[in-house]
Amino acid sequence: MSGYRWRIICPGVIPTVLLLFILAFPGVVMGAAEPFNDIRGHWAEKSMLEMNAYDIVHGYPGGRFLPDNQVTMLEAVVMIINTLGLNEKAGRVDLSGLQFHPTVSWGKGHLALAAERGMLTRQGLPLIDSRRLASRVEVASMVCLALGLPPAPEYLTFNDTADIPQQYRGYVGAVVKNKIIMGMPGNMFLPGMPVTRAQMCTILNRLIDRKMVAPPSSMALVRGRITEINKDEQKVTLRNLVGEKSVYLPTDLAIYTSTGTVSPTSLDKGKRLKCIADSQGRVRYASLLDESPPVDSRVEGMVVAFDRGDGGYSLTLENGTGDRVTYPVEDDALLEKGGQELDARDVLKEDYVEAGLSEDGRVVSIEVFTPQRIAATVVKVADRELTLRSRGREVTYDVSKQVRVTRNYIREMNYDELRQGDRVEAVVMNRTVFQIDCLSGGGDADQMGMVSRVRDDAVYLYVGKEEKRYELDNGAEVIKNGRTVDPDRLNRGDYVHYELDREGRLIYIEVLDEKEGEFEGTLKYITYGGPPNITIVTGSGLEMDYDVAAGATILRDGDEINLSDVIPGSRARILLKDGRVDELEVLDDRNLTVEGRVAGVNRDKWRLTLDIGGRNFTFPVMAGVVITGGEGESPDLAHLEGYMVEAQIKDGKIEKISVQ
């Protein structure tokens, strides 16, 4: 920092400003950017040409740019003010009451405006010698204060961070965080190193390129894919998120590439082009960009907002954990859905997207996936999990912390107001629920029947042994073979799962595939001969018979057992494959009612053995068991052998016996 002492006072947030065009050289004809003979192959060649095309930074007589010349404090202030578009304002600023260093003969308005905007202090103006060089730490601080960036000292991880004066660390950290100024080789910042013209152009060009400030009002930065080439008119049409724009390329314009330059005649459709053009669309600078923008990382989530502001488009996503993050979007970001390119207006709220981010966190590509919209019935509501049944399958989904829940698409409701049996439409992506609309509620979660007949406004179902008539809701959904069909496609004898609204109207009917699927119910009968056969009774009384496949898996409490160990009357889940039971899981065989002949009594151990369907099962008996029925006086436990009984079992023990 040499011996120069300069104090900067942070003013807080500085309002965003528009750029104005600086006419530093009146009479200059607007054409291609000025050619220079001393920057070809320079690492900052493109930045210098772009800043010159904006008419913000100019060269010297003789076609020189002098890229490695060091910048004075006065020059740095003027460059920053001009990049902010405040050149004209600097020419009108009131200088009364201000003092300047005797060497300052020009740029006083820029210095005064910098002090007015908090980049400098009024007290420090007399100390700015027009010959004094600007250091990296001073430029970083002025840029930070000019943009109103919040200090971010935590982003300083350089090996020489200790060399950065304490009062500047927050400002330097802020520009490093926003990738406006980078470190030097060896992970060094070199705070006292003077800044060159090439470095200054690179720093300020990043502000425009990343839309932190706008281009000069008479100039435009246009990036897009070439959709049309008119060689006669020297015109190309570029397409980006904003739409289509035509620009005019002079025949002698050098278009820069990663390896050199090409002429306008070598352009092809589909190429990505970056142009700086005047208000009439005449290009002063152009460069070909990578066909596929480099992607440093990827993020995905539900679109909360995709808006265009002064700084271009921004994309706000909600991820699976409910966090919402906003990303700036490049004008020519590639938008695709199913391999087809989209316009910005095609990206809607509630679309699910995967966004590719550049190294500096800007969106360069967006792939749109339409979220799954599931019409389903609520089976279980947990804190951040929701189990839904749709088309005969139960699936448990994660629930976003920001999940939006409505009733009938209108009234907002809380997630914890959902109840088992509610009929819902859920917006799901990657097994995460982002939105739920509750269409109805309160129905039986296990209603099954057989179609008896179908009318225009009603369906008749056999539920158990009773035929019932149900009116059809106007929006009733009928599913058959996995597809939505009209109610008249239902046939007599179809097994169906159905759901009712609170008024008892049918809102959902799904025809069950008798050969495939999963059902729960009570095992009424089990035949152990060959092939084994079961009869399962659903909660609505519908009886369904199935053979048990050879090698079927029989489970209880996660362990494999034999079919002969399954007690008729148990609650069970069966999985069908090719019309046979491929898997049977005993859900509850400790709370049931069974019928059988008493095959044995052990009074010492209080156990009763029953012959149920030709298999013996032994149950413990509760003390004080209630025994009723029989002719005359009911027998006691010791004399039950040989009797037909109905036994009610609770928690695995017989609590009541009815003698037949």
Side-chain angles (χ1 to χ4, degrees):
M1 299 293 291
S2 74
Y4 175 64
R5 300 182 62 189
W6 175 42
R7 184 168 61 91
I8 297 180
I9 301 176
C10 180
V13 177
I14 297 178
T16 303
V17 295
L18 295 175
L19 284 171
L20 300 174
F21 178 54
I22 169 173
L23 294 174
F25 293 91
V28 172
V29 177
M30 298 289 286
E34 298 174 29
F36 300 105
N37 56 28
D38 59 350
I39 65 172
R40 179 59 60 89
H42 194 283
W43 65 268
E45 179 181 5
K46 292 182 181 179
S47 292
M48 290 183 281
L49 288 171
E50 290 182 32
M51 292 303 289
N52 175 252
Y54 287 129
D55 257 357
I56 293 176
V57 181
H58 296 84
Y60 295 91
R64 297 178 302 161
F65 192 87
L66 305 180
D68 298 320
N69 270 20
Q70 295 170 337
V71 177
T72 67
M73 277 292 301
L74 176 57
E75 291 170 334
V77 170
V78 171
M79 286 183 179
I80 295 172
I81 291 295
N82 289 348
T83 302
L84 293 174
L86 300 175
N87 182 60
E88 291 186 4
K89 186 174 181 179
R92 301 190 304 267
V93 70
D94 183 8
L95 302 180
S96 59
L98 296 177
Q99 294 183 350
F100 301 93
H101 193 276
T103 61
V104 175
S105 59
W106 65 279
K108 293 181 180 180
H110 292 78
L111 292 174
L113 187 58
E116 182 180 305
R117 302 188 67 82
M119 295 164 54
L120 308 174
T121 64
R122 291 170 63 93
Q123 298 86 347
L125 292 180
L127 303 178
I128 298 179
D129 185 333
S130 63
R131 296 163 297 186
R132 189 195 181 285
L133 300 180
S135 68
R136 283 169 55 81
V137 71
E138 290 167 338
V139 170
S141 300
M142 286 193 292
V143 170
C144 174
L145 291 165
L147 298 178
L149 300 176
E154 66 275 13
Y155 280 82
L156 295 181
T157 58
F158 299 106
N159 292 336
D160 60 347
T161 295
D163 295 339
I164 301 174
Q166 185 69 41
Q167 67 268 33
Y168 295 140
R169 290 182 185 177
Y171 309 140
V172 175
V175 296
V176 169
K177 173 185 175 181
N178 287 277
K179 295 182 171 56
I180 299 170
I181 299 180
M182 310 298 189
M184 303 294 280
N187 192 33
M188 305 290 283
F189 187 77
L190 304 180
M193 175 181 284
V195 176
T196 66
R197 281 170 56 81
Q199 292 170 338
M200 200 72 193
C201 285
T202 301
I203 292 168
L204 298 179
N205 192 46
R206 285 174 183 153
L207 302 184
I208 300 175
D209 232 22
R210 297 172 186 175
K211 298 185 181 297
M212 303 183 80
V213 298
S217 59
S218 61
M219 304 297 292
L221 171 60
V222 185
R223 271 191 292 240
R225 296 181 183 274
I226 300 174
T227 58
E228 186 178 346
I229 299 175
N230 188 324
K231 294 184 178 180
D232 293 336
E233 297 182 13
Q234 303 175 21
K235 179 177 72 173
V236 298
T237 301
L238 304 179
R239 176 184 178 180
N240 57 27
L241 297 179
V242 180
E244 288 193 335
K245 181 178 178 62
S246 294
V247 294
Y248 298 88
L249 306 175
T251 55
D252 61 345
L253 180 71
I255 300 174
Y256 287 81
T257 70
S258 58
T259 57
T261 61
V262 297
S263 68
T265 57
S266 65
L267 295 177
D268 296 316
K269 289 184 180 181
K271 297 291 186 181
R272 292 177 65 232
L273 191 65
K274 173 183 178 180
C275 299
I276 297 174
D278 64 18
S279 56
Q280 283 77 45
R282 293 174 298 195
V283 175
R284 304 192 68 213
Y285 169 87
S287 64
L288 279 172
L289 305 174
D290 294 334
E291 291 191 23
S292 297
V295 174
D296 183 68
S297 60
R298 296 185 185 275
V299 294
E300 61 181 52
M302 189 73 71
V303 175
V304 177
F306 188 51
D307 300 318
R308 184 183 178 191
D310 293 338
Y313 278 92
S314 62
L315 176 67
T316 302
L317 297 181
E318 176 185 314
N319 58 30
T321 61
D323 298 322
R324 295 185 175 184
V325 184
T326 299
Y327 305 92
V329 182
E330 292 288 7
D331 282 347
D332 64 337
L334 181 60
L335 276 178
E336 289 187 308
K337 182 178 181 180
Q340 298 295 317
E341 191 168 350
L342 305 178
D343 292 325
R345 61 178 178 271
D346 296 321
V347 179
L348 305 174
K349 288 184 179 180
E350 299 176 12
D351 277 342
Y352 195 90
V353 304
E354 180 183 83
L357 304 181
S358 63
E359 186 179 4
D360 58 351
R362 299 183 65 84
V363 175
V364 295
S365 66
I366 303 174
E367 186 170 3
V368 180
F369 304 91
T370 301
Q372 189 178 8
R373 296 179 182 274
I374 300 174
T377 301
V378 175
V379 176
K380 183 179 178 181
V381 181
D383 183 24
R384 294 265 65 91
E385 288 187 341
L386 183 66
T387 302
L388 301 176
R389 185 180 64 247
S390 177
R391 300 186 176 182
R393 295 182 63 247
E394 290 185 8
V395 181
T396 299
Y397 300 94
D398 294 330
V399 178
S400 168
K401 289 190 299 184
Q402 304 288 344
V403 65
R404 181 171 179 260
V405 186
T406 57
R407 186 176 295 281
N408 296 323
Y409 300 103
I410 299 175
R411 184 177 71 82
E412 297 283 342
M413 59 183 289
N414 295 324
Y415 171 72
D416 57 13
E417 292 182 69
L418 291 174
R419 295 291 181 265
Q420 180 180 0
D422 280 346
R423 184 71 182 160
V424 300
E425 182 180 83
V427 176
V428 177
M429 199 69 194
N430 279 8
R431 297 185 69 88
T432 299
V433 176
F434 290 90
Q435 184 172 329
I436 304 168
D437 187 72
C438 186
L439 305 176
S440 65
D444 187 340
D446 187 23
Q447 292 176 305
M448 297 173 66
M450 180 187 292
V451 175
S452 170
R453 37 193 178 138
V454 180
R455 297 291 181 263
D456 289 340
D457 59 348
V459 174
Y460 291 78
L461 301 176
Y462 284 114
V463 180
K465 298 179 180 180
E466 181 182 359
E467 185 184 49
K468 295 185 177 182
R469 178 185 183 275
Y470 296 104
E471 289 187 6
L472 279 166
D473 180 77
N474 289 335
E477 182 181 17
V478 180
I479 304 296
K480 190 170 187 177
N481 297 324
R483 304 179 67 180
T484 301
V485 299
D486 293 330
D488 59 12
R489 294 288 301 277
L490 294 171
N491 298 319
R492 180 180 175 84
D494 281 343
Y495 286 114
V496 299
H497 166 73
Y498 66 95
E499 295 173 7
L500 308 175
D501 63 15
R502 286 191 168 91
E503 285 71 41
R505 293 186 299 256
L506 280 169
I507 59 171
Y508 180 77
I509 305 173
E510 181 181 1
V511 178
L512 303 176
D513 186 343
E514 296 181 53
K515 294 186 177 181
E516 304 286 340
E518 184 176 315
F519 308 109
E520 288 186 17
T522 300
L523 296 173
K524 186 174 183 180
Y525 303 115
I526 303 177
T527 302
Y528 302 98
N533 181 273
I534 66 167
T535 299
I536 188 167
V537 183
T538 69
S540 56
L542 184 66
E543 294 187 8
M544 308 174 78
D545 295 325
Y546 298 102
D547 289 337
V548 179
T553 302
I554 314 297
L555 300 170
R556 180 174 59 202
D557 298 329
D559 297 324
E560 285 200 38
I561 60 174
N562 297 318
L563 182 62
S564 59
D565 296 326
V566 179
I567 306 169
S570 300
R571 181 78 178 170
R573 176 189 63 84
I574 63 170
L575 180 65
L576 298 181
K577 200 170 186 180
D578 296 327
R580 293 173 177 262
V581 176
D582 188 64
E583 181 177 295
L584 185 152
E585 180 182 8
V586 176
L587 303 177
D588 186 2
D589 61 359
R590 293 176 58 79
N591 299 277
L592 66 159
T593 299
V594 297
E595 292 183 0
R597 183 182 60 83
V598 178
V601 179
N602 185 331
R603 282 207 62 181
D604 294 335
K605 295 185 177 180
W606 281 77
R607 293 181 179 275
L608 195 69
T609 300
L610 298 178
D611 179 346
I612 306 172
R615 309 289 296 184
N616 286 346
F617 297 91
T618 300
F619 303 94
V621 180
M622 286 185 180
V625 61
V626 177
I627 303 175
T628 62
E631 297 180 1
E633 186 175 343
S634 298
D636 61 19
L637 186 64
H639 301 91
L640 282 180
E641 190 167 347
Y643 281 90
M644 290 296 299
V645 299
E646 179 185 88
Q648 295 181 16
I649 301 170
K650 182 178 180 181
D651 295 330
K653 293 184 179 182
I654 297 175
E655 67 169 357
K656 185 176 181 180
I657 301 173
S658 297
V659 180
Q660 305 297 309

